[in-house]
Amino acid sequence: MDAFQKFQAQVVEQVRERLNPNWKPPGDHPELELPFNLSNADWQWLDRNVPLDLPCILEMSTKQLHATFPQKNSRTRIIRTFIWQCWILIQMGKMRPLKGTLRSLWYRELEGFMRTHQLIKADIVLRGSDVDSDEDRIIETMREQIALFVDHRIFRYSGAFQFVPMFNSKYYIGKDRRGWFFFTEKVGLWDTICQELYDHKDLSCSVMASQGEPSGLTMERMGIELRKLKVKTLTQFTFSDRDPWGWWIDASLDAFMRRLGFDVQTWRLTTEDLFTEADANGSKDFTPIIEKFKKQEEHPDPKFRATSKEKLIYNWFKISNGWRGRPVALHCDKITEEARDARIQKFIKELQKKDPHFPGTLVKADEPTRLLEAPPLCAPKSLRRMFR
């Protein structure tokens, strides 16, 4: 057993120690740390999906690598093992921390490894094309696998890798009501909504504006700050699009903060009554996709294969009922400023009551699973974590 394998064995034991429900993170104030205990399911995921006793694959020849991973479709497993071993090498002092975005791992380490071992198809895709190149697919796989390690609490984004978020989100921690957390996926609402909520002289709350879904990196960083301020309960209220992707963003936000150990309630403020018939008539209509699933239900075709996006759209409509039973995508930008501001102020007013009656729709804890699950009669297949 070489030095890498010996160190790896020690790391595995340290990870295994966190299965103990009484395990406490090191430091003077463990109660301020994000939860890092492992569940049995987390450990089983690691043990099942990562070879924990291999020599360092970064030092293998192409022949050795392919002998180690002889399966025909082993590229994802290789990438997952590469991430795991980079994490170990950083802790050994054999590799520098990334101190960059997730993509930095690709540029600095993974691209050269994949090209050296002929694990990238030599396809050429022109800039601006709708078709993903094989390089794009590998980078997406890398992101998905890093997210899985974080989801299973093997490591954190901000841990040994020292990843930093992309500049697509901005947030402030409230001065008075830190556990009240307003989120919008529209960066254009930062000045008009977020800044005003944060600047309130008596009820300054936490706020975030993001260009689409905020990264797990950003949420983890915010969670650490909230934990240090002894915040344990979050009431989140969001202003997102009433479409499959806005619905996913809200559900993902809710699930991630739960995963960080907070007691969470998340309310969607963009309810269907804020939109007009004209809004719906001028919006993207997903009826053809819904009809495709209805046809499949009536006349099952074993060859039927829905894409991940189609499954999301179908599940979103099943959960949300769209707009008055129509599967149309409604952007929150269509809502008038007066209606938007009145809805937010109404929510803030209810927050101050002992027995509040919130305007909005409560996000269910199981929504992320329901939104990505394969509908009945679809061939079961692992869904890509497309919206990370």
Side-chain angles (χ1 to χ4, degrees):
M1 184 181 291
D2 61 21
F4 175 85
Q5 289 172 291
K6 289 180 181 178
F7 191 90
Q8 179 174 234
Q10 294 171 11
V11 170
V12 170
E13 284 307 308
Q14 289 177 349
V15 171
R16 195 196 299 267
E17 286 173 6
R18 293 194 271 115
L19 277 165
N20 185 339
N22 297 318
W23 179 87
K24 297 291 184 183
D28 296 331
H29 299 284
E31 74 279 2
L32 301 183
E33 292 287 338
L34 295 176
F36 212 36
N37 294 74
L38 291 190
S39 68
N40 286 325
D42 293 327
W43 169 255
Q44 289 166 10
W45 176 86
L46 178 68
D47 193 40
R48 184 174 61 248
N49 290 284
V50 182
L52 302 174
D53 55 357
L54 288 184
C56 184
I57 65 172
L58 283 76
E59 298 174 358
M60 289 182 178
S61 66
T62 299
K63 183 177 180 180
Q64 290 172 323
L65 184 70
H66 288 297
T68 304
F69 298 91
Q71 299 86 354
K72 185 177 180 181
N73 299 313
S74 59
R75 192 165 74 172
T76 296
R77 190 170 177 85
I78 291 172
I79 292 171
R80 191 186 305 125
T81 305
F82 182 91
I83 294 166
W84 161 260
Q85 293 198 353
C86 285
W87 181 59
I88 291 173
L89 288 168
I90 291 172
Q91 294 177 85
M92 290 180 72
K94 301 291 186 181
M95 181 184 286
R96 292 178 291 116
L98 269 297
K99 296 184 178 180
T101 64
L102 298 185
R103 204 178 182 94
S104 300
L105 181 60
W106 162 256
Y107 288 129
R108 205 185 80 183
E109 308 292 347
L110 183 57
E111 181 180 15
F113 176 85
M114 299 297 282
R115 294 194 187 283
T116 297
H117 297 298
Q118 294 91 53
L119 293 170
I120 302 178
K121 294 178 184 177
D123 54 352
I124 298 176
V125 176
L126 298 177
R127 184 180 293 274
S129 170
D130 289 335
V131 180
D132 287 346
S133 67
D134 197 44
E135 177 179 316
D136 293 328
R137 290 189 287 271
I138 291 173
I139 293 171
E140 178 62 21
T141 298
M142 179 196 74
R143 292 177 185 273
E144 292 168 356
Q145 296 307 311
I146 292 172
L148 282 170
F149 278 106
V150 173
D151 283 349
H152 290 287
R153 299 183 183 177
I154 307 305
F155 57 69
R156 296 198 184 113
Y157 290 114
S158 56
F161 282 109
Q162 297 183 38
F163 287 124
V164 298
M166 295 179 66
F167 294 114
N168 71 333
S169 303
K170 184 176 182 180
Y171 70 86
Y172 287 154
I173 302 296
K175 292 174 283 188
D176 304 305
R177 304 299 176 108
R178 299 183 178 113
W180 297 0
F181 175 27
F182 172 77
F183 168 82
T184 176
E185 60 165 308
K186 306 293 183 179
V187 290
L189 295 182
W190 176 263
D191 289 336
T192 53
I193 300 295
C194 296
Q195 192 69 53
E196 289 184 11
L197 289 174
Y198 174 75
D199 286 339
H200 195 285
K201 63 178 183 178
D202 300 313
L203 302 172
S204 171
C205 62
S206 299
V207 293
M208 176 183 290
S210 178
Q211 187 175 352
E213 183 179 4
S215 69
L217 270 162
T218 300
M219 300 313 301
E220 182 181 275
R221 180 174 287 190
M222 183 177 187
I224 290 171
E225 291 183 36
L226 287 167
R227 201 78 176 190
K228 288 180 178 178
L229 293 168
K230 301 184 179 181
V231 175
K232 295 182 179 179
T233 300
L234 292 175
T235 301
Q236 304 181 147
F237 48 116
T238 73
F239 216 80
S240 302
D241 292 336
R242 190 176 175 83
D243 69 1
W245 293 273
W247 211 263
W248 166 258
I249 288 171
D250 291 342
S252 181
L253 182 77
D254 182 88
F256 200 88
M257 297 312 273
R258 288 179 189 276
R259 190 67 174 156
L260 294 184
F262 295 97
D263 182 12
V264 181
Q265 266 198 1
T266 304
W267 292 85
R268 296 185 174 98
L269 302 192
T270 47
T271 50
E272 64 179 2
D273 58 294
L274 297 182
F275 298 93
T276 67
E277 186 83 32
D279 293 334
N281 291 338
S283 296
K284 189 169 185 177
D285 193 331
F286 294 120
T287 297
I289 293 175
I290 303 304
E291 290 297 327
K292 182 193 294 189
F293 282 97
K294 287 183 179 179
K295 182 180 179 181
Q296 173 65 10
E297 290 172 1
E298 295 168 1
H299 305 286
D301 179 358
K303 296 182 180 179
F304 177 70
R305 297 291 185 273
T307 67
S308 295
K309 288 183 179 180
E310 287 174 333
K311 292 170 188 175
L312 176 69
I313 291 166
Y314 171 83
N315 290 327
W316 161 76
F317 181 59
K318 187 168 61 172
I319 295 170
S320 71
N321 198 40
W323 186 81
R324 298 181 182 176
R326 294 171 57 186
V328 291
L330 292 162
H331 295 287
C332 64
D333 310 69
K334 291 179 176 292
I335 299 170
T336 65
E337 290 183 23
E338 293 78 12
R340 180 194 67 203
D341 293 349
R343 173 57 55 86
I344 293 171
Q345 291 306 317
K346 170 66 174 172
F347 193 89
I348 294 287
K349 186 177 181 180
E350 291 298 315
L351 269 172
Q352 300 172 64
K353 296 180 179 179
K354 185 176 181 179
D355 184 24
H357 296 280
F358 294 122
T361 305
L362 182 65
V363 175
K364 304 290 180 58
D366 64 346
E367 275 190 24
T369 301
R370 293 172 63 197
L371 284 167
L372 293 184
E373 69 184 358
L377 306 176
C378 291
K381 186 178 180 183
S382 177
L383 291 173
R384 291 174 61 198
R385 303 167 75 82
M386 295 182 63
F387 311 105
R388 261 278 168 205

